[in-house]
C-alpha cells in the first residue's frame, strides 16, 4: 500500500511561485517565521532536527510531489520546528499559509485528503520514534535499514538493493546515533552475511533477520518509510 498523496494538480492551482533549489540551500531553518509551505517538484530535500549538542536527527527525505513545512497550517504563531535542507538540485513551489488555509476551508473534499495525508505523516513519525526509543541504537539502525528497503529497495536475485547512496553518517542521522556506532553495526552485519555493499550502496540479503531483531510488528509499508 503506497503512502496517501494529495492531488498535485489541485495543489498547483494554489502555488504563488516556483523556484530552483540547489544542493546545500535551506528552504527553511528551525525557528524561522513561517509564511507558507513548499511542494517539491523535483530534487530532494532532507527534513531534520538539530539537537542542542549539535547532532542531527533526520526525519524524512522528500522528493517529487512531497510537501514540507505543513505543520504551520492553522498555527497562531507559525514558526518552523524543523530544518529543510536541499540535498539534490531541483525545483520547488511555494504556497502561502493564508492561501492554503482558505482553500481548506472552501473545499471539504480537499481538506479531507489533506488531513488523511497529515495523519499518515504523523503515524510515520510516531512509528520511527517508537523504534528509536524501544530498541536502542542497534534497533534504530536496523529499523532505518528496513525503512530504506521500503523507500528505495529494488529486488535482486540475492536480496534487496537500497538504490540510493547513503553515507554511514547519514544513516546515523536517521537512526539518532553516531557514525562510529553505525560503522561497527554494519561491519558486524557484513560478517554475518546479512548485508553487503554493491557499488557504494547497501544490499540486504536477510531482511527477516533485521525484522526479527527488533520484533517488527509488520506495520503497513506506508508507515515504515523514510519519506
Amino acid at each position: 500500500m503506497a503512502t496517501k498523496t494529495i492531488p498535485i494538480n489541485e495543489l498547483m492551482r494554489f502555488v504563488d511561485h516556483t523556484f530552483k533549489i540547489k544542493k546545500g540551500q535551506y528552504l527553511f531553518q528551525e525557528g524561522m517565521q513561517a509564511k507558507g509551505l513548499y511542494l517539491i517538484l523535483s530534487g530532494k530535500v532532507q527534513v531534520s532536527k538539530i539537537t542542542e549538542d549539535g547532532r542531527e536527527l533526520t526525519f524524512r527525505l522528500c522528493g517529487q510531489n512531497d510537501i514540507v513545512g505543513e505543520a504551520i497550517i492553522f498555527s497562531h504563531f507559525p514558526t518552523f520546528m524543523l530544518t529543510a535542507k536541499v540535498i539534490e538540485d531541483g525545483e520547488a513551489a511555494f504556497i502561502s499559509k493564508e492561501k492554503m488555509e482558505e482553500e481548506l476551508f472552501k473545499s471539504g473534499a480537499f481538506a479531507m485528503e489533506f488531513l488523511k495525508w497529515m495523519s499518515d505523516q504523523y503515524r510515520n513519525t510516531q512509528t520511527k520514534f517508537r523504534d528509536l526509543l524501544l530498541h536502542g541504537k542497534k534497533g534504530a539502525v536496523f529499523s532505518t535499514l528496513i525503512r530504506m528497503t521500503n523507500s528505495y529497495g529494488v529486488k535482486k536475485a540475492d536480496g534487496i538493493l537500497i538504490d540510493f547512496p547513503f553515507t554511514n553518517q547519514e544513516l546515523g542521522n536517521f537512526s539518532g546515533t553516531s557514525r562510529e556506532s553505525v560503522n561497527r553495526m554494519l561491519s558486524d552485519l557484513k560478517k554475518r552475511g546479512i548485508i553487503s555493499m554493491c557499488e557504494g550502496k547497501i544490499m540486504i540479503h536477510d531482511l527477516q533477520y533485521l525484522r526479527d531483531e527488533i520484533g517488527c510488528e509488520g506495520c503497513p509499508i506506508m508507515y515504515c518509510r523514510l519519506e
Side-chain angles (χ1 to χ4, degrees):
M1 179 184 257
T3 304
K4 290 184 176 67
T5 58
I6 301 171
I8 298 305
N9 289 340
E10 189 161 4
L11 269 179
M12 289 301 294
R13 294 194 295 107
F14 316 147
V15 166
D16 288 345
H17 63 275
T18 62
F19 58 99
K20 299 294 183 182
I21 54 177
K22 296 292 184 181
K23 183 177 179 179
Q25 171 189 352
Y26 291 92
L27 291 184
F28 53 82
Q29 291 179 278
E30 182 179 354
M32 287 177 54
Q33 183 179 2
K35 297 182 180 179
L37 60 160
Y38 299 86
L39 173 64
I40 309 304
L41 302 177
S42 61
K44 290 194 180 298
V45 173
Q46 173 182 289
V47 179
S48 58
K49 169 81 174 180
I50 308 298
T51 64
E52 291 185 358
D53 59 0
R55 291 185 297 115
E56 185 174 21
L57 177 59
T58 302
F59 288 90
R60 296 167 58 202
L61 277 185
C62 301
Q64 186 177 30
N65 297 339
D66 283 332
I67 299 172
V68 292
E70 70 281 353
I72 67 163
I73 298 300
F74 298 118
S75 171
H76 293 297
F77 304 101
T79 57
F80 290 115
M81 300 175 64
L82 300 171
T83 293
K85 183 179 181 179
V86 180
I87 61 171
E88 181 183 288
D89 292 357
E91 187 176 14
F94 176 79
I95 304 173
S96 72
K97 178 178 182 292
E98 291 76 13
K99 181 65 173 178
M100 190 68 171
E101 291 173 351
E102 177 186 344
E103 295 299 333
L104 288 169
F105 274 124
K106 285 167 55 176
S107 173
F110 176 67
M112 183 62 68
E113 290 301 313
F114 186 79
L115 287 173
K116 288 178 180 178
W117 178 83
M118 288 277 287
S119 176
D120 284 345
Q121 296 304 318
Y122 172 75
R123 291 190 64 176
N124 189 316
T125 301
Q126 187 180 50
T127 57
K128 178 174 181 176
F129 274 116
R130 177 200 62 196
D131 294 341
L132 290 174
L133 293 172
L134 295 182
H135 302 297
K137 292 181 180 180
K138 185 176 83 168
V141 171
F142 287 10
S143 171
T144 301
L145 289 173
I146 294 170
R147 290 170 184 272
M148 286 178 171
T149 65
N150 290 334
S151 294
Y152 303 105
V154 177
K155 289 185 178 180
K156 301 290 185 179
D158 58 344
I160 302 175
L161 175 68
I162 298 174
D163 196 20
F164 194 89
F166 291 94
T167 66
N168 288 2
Q169 181 62 64
E170 289 168 337
L171 180 53
N173 292 345
F174 274 107
S175 309
T177 189
S178 67
R179 178 176 58 82
E180 292 75 17
S181 293
V182 170
N183 290 345
R184 288 194 295 271
M185 283 182 255
L186 293 185
S187 178
D188 183 62
L189 290 173
K190 289 176 189 176
K191 290 177 182 177
R192 294 169 180 265
I194 307 301
I195 70 169
S196 64
M197 300 302 296
C198 179
E199 298 181 350
K201 299 175 183 178
I202 299 174
M203 174 79 80
I204 308 291
H205 298 292
D206 191 348
L207 183 61
Q208 191 59 48
Y209 173 86
L210 301 179
R211 289 173 171 166
D212 290 343
E213 285 293 296
I214 64 171
C216 182
E217 299 175 359
C219 297
I221 289 179
M222 63 192 296
Y223 302 133
C224 187
R225 300 172 64 89
L226 292 187
E227 296 101 327

